[in-house]
């Protein structure tokens, strides 16, 4: 078994142009992707804008509340400084304490920030307070008392929020040390600020339902928190990411995180209180900040889905119309280019393909082979058996021709009447001859009776032509057809049922063998 024909490669470099239907689909995809991209970008930008606006508001609020805390503690600190001077100067005699009590009472009446004022001796006993109706207690076990007893400096100490031993309310203690003349510990002056004072201020600030405002010590201990929950007093926010990373480097800033107290995701702003070891943290819930954005996003998604649906519906309709048009065009092309009886190409298609392949062969320097096939004594068959039987014979011959062709580039056509043509691009002489013989033998194998034929059955005669187109134009497609037609005449003159190569290019025996035997199997 030998290979006699080369496969024809019709691939071209570059991209194959899109069909109209593919172009419409591609356009639809691009439009939808563009719409999705623009909507996504706009949505993200809107979210960023809302977050930025919230950050600005919380930052400004934290700064304002920090200033308010500074003013409040500075006022209290000034009062404590006055009490320390009076107590250290006047001593703790009853007469001096009565004068001091009047001063303290006047301060508490005039300053809303003050809950009470105390003078405590070195043993922790309360000597006098601003509210004479309240009994003095002992404070020796309180952390602030221990702090001043063990620290010689007269720095202002802000303690944790505790329960008042006088009236049971939540208070923040602010204390300063009292010294004797020799510098030894003589007790302390203490001011208390009710937690309700700050809660009253914070409750006037609108931070939505899940917002928080926290006043904490520098170590993260919560002094006051809106909304107020007793369980949160004394908790620490020191585990919050900003506390460990940002706060040591910056006195103010913002961040987004889940609360270590209640687990709610919020946008936070923090600000150190100047001059005092205090910190203000303001947080607004992420869900509340982005509620409007989420609603707008939902509307945008509905609009996007609606737009994509409209594009899909219109595009689908357009694609269906294009498909119908393409189907109609394909049917029309089939009617124009295909022989209605045999299903092979018609004469018009054959001539168009021959011209195109001839130009291709000129550019590539390849050869073209051509078979001219004629049904032997077909007129006599029609006269004896009828035109219906004759049409069936032509269909059977067309089937034999199609079955002998194995490459997409090969073309079989009804040339006219009972004549057929087979076009074989880039095919050698032995290859073309072998195809012709395969067709002839297949027709013989049909064994269709034909009394008017010398062979007693339907046969075909085949002429084989082959030309290598010359770039200088000295050869033309008509030369190829003429060569095959001449060879067909020779086949008929030799008694029909023959495959005859054109005499102008019958190769020598050595040439046939060298071209026919391309590769052993």
């Amino acid at each position: 078994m030998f290979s006699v024909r080369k496969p024809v490669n019709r691939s071209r470099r570059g991209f194959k142009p899109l069909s109209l239907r593919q172009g419409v689909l591609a356009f639809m995809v691009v439009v939808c992707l563009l719409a999705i991209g623009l909507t996504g970008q706009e949505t993200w930008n809107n979210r960023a804008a809302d977050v930025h606006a919230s950050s600005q508001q919380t930052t400004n609020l934290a700064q304002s509340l920090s200033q308010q805390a500074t003013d409040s503690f500075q006022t209290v600190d000034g009062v404590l400084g006055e009490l320390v001077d009076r107590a250290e100067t006047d001593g703790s005699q009853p007469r001096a304490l009565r004068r001091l009590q009047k001063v303290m009472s006047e301060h508490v009446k005039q300053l809303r920030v003050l809950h009470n004022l105390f003078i405590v001796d070195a043993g922790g006993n309360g000597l006098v307070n601003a509210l004479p109706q309240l009994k003095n207690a002992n404070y020796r076990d309180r952390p602030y008392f221990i702090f001043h007893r063990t620290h010689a400096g007269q720095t202002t100490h802000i303690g944790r929020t505790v329960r008042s031993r006088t009236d049971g309310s939540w208070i923040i203690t602010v204390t300063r040390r009292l010294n004797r003349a020799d510098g030894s510990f003589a007790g302390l002056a203490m001011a208390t600020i009710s937690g309700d004072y700050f809660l009253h201020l914070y409750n006037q600030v609108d931070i939505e339902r899940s917002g928080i405002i926290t006043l904490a010590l520098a170590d993260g201990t919560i002094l006051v928190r809106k909304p107020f929950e007793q369980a949160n007093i004394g908790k620490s926010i020191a585990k919050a990411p900003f506390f460990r990373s940002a706060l040591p480097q910056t006195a103010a800033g913002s961040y987004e995180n889940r609360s270590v107290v209640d687990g709610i995701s919020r946008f936070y702003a923090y600000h150190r209180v100047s001059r005092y070891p205090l910190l203000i943290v303001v947080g607004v819930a992420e869900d509340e900040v982005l509620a409007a954005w989420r609603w707008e996003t939902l509307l945008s998604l509905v609009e996007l889905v609606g737009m994509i649906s409209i594009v899909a519906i219109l595009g689908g309709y357009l694609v269906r119309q294009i498909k119908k048009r393409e189907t109609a065009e394909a049917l029309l092309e089939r009617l124009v280019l295909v022989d209605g009886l045999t299903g092979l190409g018609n004469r018009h298609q054959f001539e168009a393909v021959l011209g195109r392949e001839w130009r291709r062969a000129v550019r590539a320097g390849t050869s073209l082979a051509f078979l001219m096939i004629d049904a032997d004594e077909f007129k006599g068959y029609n006269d004896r058996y009828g035109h219906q039987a004759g049409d069936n014979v032509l269909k059977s011959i067309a089937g034999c021709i199609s079955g002998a062709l194995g490459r997409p580039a090969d073309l079989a056509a009804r040339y006219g009447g009972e004549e057929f043509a087979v076009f074989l691009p880039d095919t050698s002489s032995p290859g073309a001859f072998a195809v012709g013989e395969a067709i002839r033998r297949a027709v013989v194998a049909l064994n269709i009776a034909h009394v008017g034929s010398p062979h007693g059955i339907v046969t075909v005669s085949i002429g084989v032509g082959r030309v290598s187109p010359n770039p200088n134009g000295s050869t033309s497609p008509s030369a190829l057809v003429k060569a095959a037609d001449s060879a067909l005449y020779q086949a008929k003159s030799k008694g029909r049922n023959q495959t005859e190569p054109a005499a102008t290019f019958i190769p020598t025996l050595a040439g046939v063998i060298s071209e026919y035997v391309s590769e052993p199997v």
Side-chain angles (χ1 to χ4, degrees):
M1 183 177 181
F2 304 95
S3 172
V4 296
R5 293 194 295 155
K6 300 178 182 178
V8 179
N9 184 1
R10 289 289 181 258
S11 63
R12 294 182 176 180
R13 295 180 180 179
F15 295 101
K16 182 181 178 180
L18 295 176
S19 66
L20 180 58
R21 185 168 33 158
Q22 291 172 329
V24 170
L25 289 173
F27 176 76
M28 289 169 54
V29 171
V30 170
V31 169
C32 291
L33 291 177
L34 185 61
I36 292 172
L38 292 176
T39 301
Q41 182 180 18
E42 182 181 8
T43 299
W44 182 256
N45 290 340
N46 290 341
R47 183 187 187 278
D50 287 352
V51 171
H52 178 72
S54 173
S55 177
Q56 287 292 101
Q57 291 173 359
T58 53
T59 298
N60 294 338
L61 181 57
Q63 184 177 2
S64 298
L65 294 177
S66 173
Q67 184 60 51
Q68 183 273 331
T70 299
D71 295 340
S72 297
F73 281 92
Q74 193 169 353
T75 298
V76 173
D77 198 15
V79 171
L80 285 179
E82 178 186 349
L83 295 182
V84 168
D85 290 340
R86 285 178 178 272
E88 289 181 346
T89 302
D90 297 343
S92 58
Q93 297 301 317
R95 190 173 185 178
L97 292 179
R98 285 194 295 270
R99 288 197 302 270
L100 190 57
Q101 196 275 332
K102 291 181 180 180
V103 174
M104 294 165 65
S105 297
E106 192 64 27
H107 280 309
V108 171
K109 290 178 181 178
Q110 293 179 357
L111 300 175
R112 292 181 58 244
V113 66
L114 288 174
H115 170 259
N116 204 350
L117 293 170
F118 300 83
I119 298 295
V120 180
D121 65 15
N125 299 306
L127 297 178
V128 64
N129 68 79
L131 304 175
Q133 67 272 22
L134 297 178
K135 293 183 179 181
N136 289 312
N138 188 280
Y139 305 95
R140 66 192 306 171
D141 60 337
R142 290 296 196 181
Y144 51 82
F145 183 86
I146 297 172
F147 174 83
H148 287 296
R149 188 179 62 192
T150 56
H151 291 75
Q154 287 191 315
T155 57
T156 301
H157 177 75
I158 301 175
R160 298 186 176 191
T161 303
V162 295
R163 283 281 193 182
S164 172
R165 288 182 176 176
T166 55
D167 61 7
S169 62
W170 289 99
I171 57 173
I172 302 171
T173 60
V174 184
T175 55
R176 291 185 65 170
R177 175 180 166 124
L178 296 176
N179 288 330
R180 297 188 180 94
D182 60 0
S184 60
F185 179 62
L188 54 84
M190 176 171 63
T192 59
I193 304 173
S194 174
D196 290 340
Y197 169 77
F198 287 104
L199 283 177
H200 175 73
L201 292 174
Y202 297 163
N203 285 335
Q204 297 179 36
V205 179
D206 182 15
I207 50 174
E208 301 295 341
R209 183 173 56 86
S210 298
I212 63 101
I213 299 175
T214 299
L215 174 64
L217 292 173
D219 64 1
T221 302
I222 295 176
L223 298 178
V224 180
R225 187 177 189 271
K226 173 194 174 179
F228 177 79
E229 290 184 18
Q230 182 174 322
N232 291 332
I233 300 302
K235 282 188 176 181
S236 176
I237 59 173
K239 292 183 179 179
F242 88 97
F243 205 92
R244 299 191 302 269
S245 57
L247 189 59
Q249 282 78 38
T250 57
S254 59
Y255 67 100
E256 178 183 354
N257 193 51
R258 188 176 296 276
S259 172
V260 296
V261 176
D262 56 22
I264 298 176
S265 293
R266 293 186 176 91
F267 298 106
Y268 292 95
Y270 62 90
H271 202 286
R272 287 184 183 273
V273 177
S274 60
R275 297 185 57 186
Y276 298 99
L278 297 170
L279 179 69
I280 289 289
V281 179
V282 178
V284 287
E286 179 182 352
D287 287 342
E288 294 170 349
V289 171
L290 298 180
W293 171 80
R294 288 194 174 100
W295 176 247
E296 292 172 357
T297 300
L298 179 61
L299 294 179
S300 297
L301 289 177
V302 171
E303 292 175 358
L304 178 63
V305 170
M307 190 209 72
I308 291 177
S309 299
I310 292 174
V311 171
I313 292 172
L314 294 179
Y317 174 78
L318 182 58
V319 167
R320 287 193 297 273
Q321 295 304 311
I322 293 174
K323 185 176 181 180
K324 290 180 180 179
R325 176 183 172 184
E326 290 177 344
T327 302
E329 290 177 348
L331 178 60
L332 179 61
E333 181 179 359
R334 179 175 176 82
L335 293 176
V336 172
L337 300 179
V338 177
D339 179 65
L341 175 65
T342 62
L344 302 179
N346 58 19
R347 179 75 173 266
H348 178 71
Q349 183 183 15
F350 171 78
E351 290 176 350
V353 172
L354 177 60
R356 183 177 68 246
E357 293 298 331
W358 183 273
R359 292 188 295 272
R360 191 194 302 276
V362 170
R363 293 193 302 270
T366 56
S367 61
L368 301 174
F370 177 63
L371 309 181
M372 183 69 79
I373 304 169
D374 184 72
D376 296 327
E377 304 290 352
F378 186 72
K379 183 178 183 302
Y381 187 91
N382 261 346
D383 293 341
R384 177 177 290 275
Y385 297 100
H387 290 285
Q388 182 63 46
D391 289 345
N392 291 336
V393 166
L394 293 179
K395 291 178 183 179
S396 298
I397 294 174
C400 294
I401 294 173
S402 297
L405 305 182
R407 302 179 306 174
D410 298 340
L411 173 67
R414 187 179 180 189
Y415 199 71
E418 68 273 19
E419 286 187 321
F420 298 88
V422 175
F423 177 73
L424 304 171
D426 198 15
T427 301
S428 64
S429 296
F433 184 85
V435 172
E437 275 295 282
I439 295 171
R440 186 188 66 79
R441 290 192 184 99
V443 174
V444 171
L446 294 175
N447 200 29
I448 300 174
H450 184 1
V451 175
S453 170
H455 303 285
I457 59 174
V458 171
T459 61
V460 294
S461 297
I462 303 174
V464 181
R466 178 173 175 270
V467 172
S468 294
N470 196 324
N472 60 18
S474 59
T475 55
S476 65
S478 61
L480 178 63
V481 176
K482 185 176 180 180
D485 191 56
S486 176
L488 175 62
Y489 178 80
Q490 292 295 325
K492 286 184 174 292
S493 65
K494 288 182 179 182
R496 295 182 171 81
N497 194 24
Q498 302 280 332
T499 300
E500 186 72 16
T504 56
F505 60 89
I506 297 177
T508 63
L509 180 60
V512 170
I513 294 174
S514 64
E515 190 171 9
Y516 190 87
V517 183
S518 60
E519 60 177 51
V521 178

